[in-house]
Amino acid sequence: MAAATAITARQGNDQFRGVFSDTWEVICTLDTASVADQAAATDTVAVPGVVLGDMVIAMSAGVSEAGLVRRAYVSAAGTVTIATTNTTGAAVNLASTTIKLVIVRMV
């Protein structure tokens, strides 16, 4: 795979003005149990104010995810679910970590 040769980066929030009516920045500690090969696990985070239809647009973890696939979504009013899927070929038990989420509601 070739490295990118032309990169344009811009920092700022003006491009989102008028698009989102509400935003949440969530920082939490997550200690997912060991996930067996070809299995999935879910964890929930209480986030007051979110409702179905709100979008989790970003998620980061403070540890290497060791090939696991994570996805976060609003699963009910006030609740975000983080689903972890393991397709690595062996059980994986990640260390406890800080998870950061950005959740938005469109206008």
Side-chain angles (χ1 to χ4, degrees), residues 39-105:
T42 58
D43 296 285
T44 58
V45 179
V47 183
V50 300
V51 296
L52 289 172
D54 291 344
M55 298 178 291
V56 179
I57 62 170
M59 178 174 58
S60 70
V63 296
S64 168
E65 296 196 334
L68 298 178
V69 177
R70 281 198 165 149
R71 165 176 108 83
Y73 57 95
V74 177
S75 55
T79 304
V80 172
T81 295
I82 300 171
T84 304
T85 304
N86 181 357
T87 60
T88 65
V92 176
N93 189 2
L94 296 178
S96 177
T97 187
T98 298
I99 298 285
K100 297 177 183 176
L101 305 167
V102 176
I103 305 165
V104 299
R105 178 174 298 151

Side-chain angles (χ1 to χ4, degrees), residues 13-34:
N13 67 356
D14 57 308
Q15 65 269 28
F16 290 117
R17 289 188 183 141
V19 176
F20 303 131
S21 63
D22 219 340
T23 60
W24 292 261
E25 174 187 325
V26 178
I27 300 172
C28 61
T29 301
L30 185 66
D31 190 5
T32 300
S34 179

